[in-house]
Amino acid sequence: MVVMTVGLPPFQALVDAHWRDVARLARALAGPVDGDDVAQRAWEKAFAAYPGLTSAKNLRSWLLTITARCATDVHRARKPQRPLDDAPAVAVDGPDAAAWPDPNLWQAVNELPERQRYAITLKYVGDLDHHGVAAALDTTPAASRRLVSDALATLRRTLGVDA
């Protein structure tokens, strides 16, 4: 027997409505190599948590927050958890910016500090407002605005674009 919370659409309707947004954000945050895995992991987590939701309000933001957190998990897994003094240094590559449209822009985005990179990606690729970005990054809307503003200023400087 399937129990649905009042107001929630069937999960398949949620997937149909938002799969492109989840896939696009996952690829933007994790890159073309890990993007599909991040999107899949996000849908799995959303499916597991869906029966416990009590409101259908902001389902898109809820999904994109899960996607951003899954991408964060992938980035954290790439980093060594503790320094190894006797181990040789190993370079860990992020997304290949050359494979994306406008590679100079994406290279500059990849070089931003992590929180700025996530904030600007959630804002412009995920199309979240500052409340949604703040929820995804566990911060305030004011801090979200600042992160996006700082990221834009850095990108303008790096790319030589006048505001």
Side-chain angles (χ1 to χ4, degrees):
M1 179 169 111
V2 175
V3 177
M4 277 191 34
T5 307
V6 176
L8 288 177
F11 191 76
Q12 184 60 50
L14 186 71
V15 173
D16 292 343
H18 301 293
W19 73 269
R20 283 184 183 91
D21 296 332
V22 168
R24 186 175 65 212
L25 182 62
R27 286 183 62 101
L29 290 175
V33 174
D34 292 324
D36 292 339
D37 291 337
V38 167
Q40 181 66 32
R41 188 170 298 129
W43 284 114
E44 290 169 358
K45 288 184 180 269
F47 182 74
Y50 198 65
L53 290 180
T54 58
S55 172
K57 185 177 177 185
N58 294 324
L59 289 175
R60 182 175 178 274
S61 292
W62 175 73
L63 284 170
L64 296 181
T65 297
I66 291 171
T67 305
R69 290 181 179 162
C70 288
T72 299
D73 292 344
V74 166
H75 286 292
R76 286 183 181 150
R78 287 183 186 149
K79 295 179 183 177
Q81 297 301 313
R82 59 185 172 83
L84 301 174
D85 295 331
D86 57 346
V90 177
V92 179
D93 294 329
D96 181 11
W100 290 58
D102 198 351
N104 293 335
L105 171 63
W106 284 106
Q107 182 61 40
V109 169
N110 280 337
E111 293 171 0
L112 289 170
E114 182 177 276
R115 289 187 54 84
Q116 287 181 17
R117 184 174 65 246
Y118 274 43
I120 201 166
T121 303
L122 288 164
K123 175 76 174 134
Y124 293 106
V125 177
D127 197 29
L128 291 178
D129 62 12
H130 286 292
H131 290 284
V133 173
L137 296 178
D138 289 326
T139 191
T140 65
S144 163
R145 282 184 191 85
R146 184 60 191 212
L147 286 166
V148 170
S149 175
D150 289 350
L152 287 172
T154 300
L155 290 173
R156 285 183 184 117
R157 253 189 334 272
T158 301
L159 298 172
V161 176
D162 294 328

